[in-house]
Amino acid sequence: MKVLVTGGTGYIGSHTSVELVSQGFDLVIIDNLSNSKIEVLDGIEAITGIRPKFEKLDLCQAEPLDDFFKKNSNIDAIIHFAAYKAVGESVENPIKYYHNNLVSLLNLLEAMRKYQVPFMVFSSSCTVYGEARELPVTENSPVQPAESPYGNTKQIAEEILQEFVNSQDKIHAVALRYFNPIGAHPSSHIGELPIGEPENLVPYITQTGIGLRDQLKIFGNDYETPDGTAVRDYLHVVDLAKAHVATLKRLLNQQNKKPYEVFNLGMGKGVSVLEMIQSFNRVSGKTLNYKVVDRRHGDIEKIWADTSLATKELGWKTESSLDEAMKTAWDWEKQLNKNQS
Ligand code: UFG
């Protein structure tokens, strides 16, 4: 089975590529390397013994993409990760986000139609639920107006995908709504590679732990949560990667119940920022330096997933505990900064 992975050198894409190669899928990765490094392929090869085929290509350019499909007419499925994902940057530069995230999707769907690629797995986000009125959120919880242009690109992309699938007889798709992926491959050959100052919590924690940053800033401790800090549903990126393999098999074996399906992927547990720091302290033996500052604009108070649909339909559930996932994040950070730990 030949699978095209767009954004396959990115954080979730690279971990998924490892799981796919390990399961015997024949991969071709497309990435424009705007937010990832070609060396990630070395990491995938070090883990699996196989170097996936790679094409540096910008999905926003329809013609080179069409040429790619002409050369690779035997693709069975696409896993579409490639997108910009920085919430703050999307507020500063919305056009950049709408253009990149939506034009790339449209070009890919046009190619799917033209070359009759039957299956797509799409990277969506729990951001579509906004500040949910009832927790945990199920796939039937209402989609709420997006807090950022980034979040809006995910909502619009889901709508486009659904309408596209409805217009086609032989094309099926699944949107996976990720909660908060953390950690790295346990081998430390691949992991998260934030460019510049990390926006996300765990890379900020590990960079502070290793001494690259002075202090973690906790964005608010006056939320209505048990300890006042915001609550999210963190899951190990390797568990998330495995969910993609399960989704792909469901599509390839035609076990999907509808042409367009949606699944929540999380651990199903709410964890606060302070609890994340405690987890880091446990696995690293350090005491993280932090201070509480104002809330971050656009942050929601709390969200976690009901993952029973994914368990029932995909036969998937998370395997790693929070501490196990955190330990892989810490091991990865130490590996990146070998001389300073
Ligand atoms: N946080 C801090 N300090 C930091 C970074 C984060 O206190 O330096 C807090 C945030 O306020 C939040 C939690 O840690 O409460 C998690 O923040 P992240 O930035 O790691 O993750 P978010 O939940 O804000 O965002 C993530 C993805 C988005 C996605 C969103 C969906 O990064 O792509 O989940 O809810 F849209």
Side-chain angles (χ1 to χ4, degrees):
M1 286 292 172
K2 189 159 182 177
V3 182
L4 166 61
V5 180
T6 76
T9 50
Y11 175 45
I12 308 173
S14 58
H15 289 82
T16 302
S17 294
V18 163
E19 297 306 318
L20 290 167
V21 172
S22 308
Q23 297 262 331
F25 287 96
D26 181 15
L27 290 202
V28 50
I29 291 176
I30 288 181
D31 205 300
N32 67 359
L33 299 175
S34 65
N35 197 19
S36 64
K37 297 205 168 108
I38 191 73
E39 290 77 19
V40 170
L41 295 177
D42 301 336
I44 297 173
E45 188 176 2
I47 299 168
T48 63
I50 294 170
R51 192 175 188 85
K53 282 182 238 42
F54 175 81
E55 290 255 356
K56 182 166 186 275
L57 213 143
D58 188 340
L59 297 173
C60 289
Q61 295 184 340
E63 269 182 41
L65 185 63
D66 189 70
D67 289 343
F68 169 86
F69 275 94
K70 266 189 206 126
K71 278 191 292 173
N72 297 271
S73 55
N74 53 347
I75 288 171
D76 297 295
I78 300 174
I79 307 187
H80 180 39
F81 292 103
Y84 291 153
K85 60 167 190 177
V87 178
E89 190 193 22
S90 80
V91 176
E92 313 265 303
N93 197 345
I95 310 265
K96 176 176 170 184
Y97 272 67
Y98 287 115
H99 186 269
N100 184 65
N101 292 5
L102 298 179
V103 173
S104 57
L105 176 68
L106 293 173
N107 285 343
L108 210 49
L109 296 182
E110 179 57 25
M112 278 182 92
R113 189 194 58 75
K114 186 167 168 191
Y115 295 94
Q116 284 297 299
V117 180
F119 305 117
M120 176 182 273
V121 181
F122 175 69
S123 298
S124 189
S125 164
C126 70
T127 189
V128 302
Y129 298 118
E131 186 78 71
R133 251 164 264 134
E134 279 178 39
L135 290 168
V137 288
T138 72
E139 290 77 358
N140 292 322
S141 297
V143 166
Q144 303 211 62
E147 298 277 352
S148 69
Y150 159 76
N152 208 18
T153 66
K154 292 296 174 191
Q155 293 192 5
I156 297 170
E158 282 198 17
E159 287 172 12
I160 292 173
L161 193 54
Q162 182 165 18
E163 288 170 2
F164 171 71
V165 165
N166 289 343
S167 75
Q168 300 291 311
D169 287 339
K170 294 189 183 137
I171 299 183
H172 293 189
V174 175
L176 298 176
R177 291 178 179 162
Y178 309 151
F179 283 67
N180 290 56
I182 61 162
H185 194 270
S187 66
S188 293
H189 284 305
I190 54 170
E192 199 166 358
L193 281 170
I195 293 176
E197 193 171 338
E199 277 212 22
N200 295 114
L201 180 62
V202 170
Y204 213 105
I205 287 178
T206 56
Q207 288 196 5
T208 306
I210 206 99
L212 292 174
R213 317 247 159 228
D214 291 340
Q215 199 172 42
L216 172 79
K217 293 179 217 59
I218 296 182
F219 298 135
N221 66 351
D222 56 352
Y223 286 109
E224 276 183 39
T225 59
D227 64 26
T229 63
V231 166
R232 298 286 185 276
D233 184 339
Y234 300 92
L235 78 163
H236 191 194
V237 67
V238 173
D239 282 330
L240 182 60
K242 288 178 179 166
H244 292 77
V245 180
T247 306
L248 200 57
K249 286 184 176 169
R250 177 181 178 82
L251 286 169
L252 293 169
N253 297 331
Q254 299 181 344
Q255 288 163 331
N256 53 314
K257 298 204 168 130
K258 287 177 280 177
Y260 176 76
E261 295 181 317
V262 176
F263 294 104
N264 284 343
L265 299 176
M267 209 178 310
K269 220 175 80 177
V271 176
S272 73
V273 178
L274 278 174
E275 287 171 325
M276 291 299 279
I277 294 172
Q278 286 155 10
S279 170
F280 174 78
N281 289 348
R282 277 194 299 274
V283 304
S284 67
K286 294 185 173 260
T287 304
L288 195 83
N289 184 22
Y290 68 83
K291 70 169 176 189
V292 177
V293 300
D294 286 347
R295 292 180 180 193
R296 182 169 67 179
H297 181 70
D299 266 354
I300 59 160
E301 182 168 89
K302 50 181 182 283
I303 189 158
W304 63 93
D306 180 328
T307 58
S308 48
L309 191 67
T311 303
K312 180 165 170 260
E313 297 294 334
L314 302 174
W316 172 88
K317 59 179 177 12
T318 55
E319 290 166 21
S320 292
S321 68
L322 179 65
D323 282 5
E324 283 164 351
M326 185 66 86
K327 182 171 182 305
T328 62
W330 179 231
D331 288 345
W332 167 245
E333 190 68 63
K334 286 192 289 188
Q335 155 75 19
L336 284 174
N337 299 269
K338 267 198 198 120
N339 302 331
Q340 290 153 52
S341 56

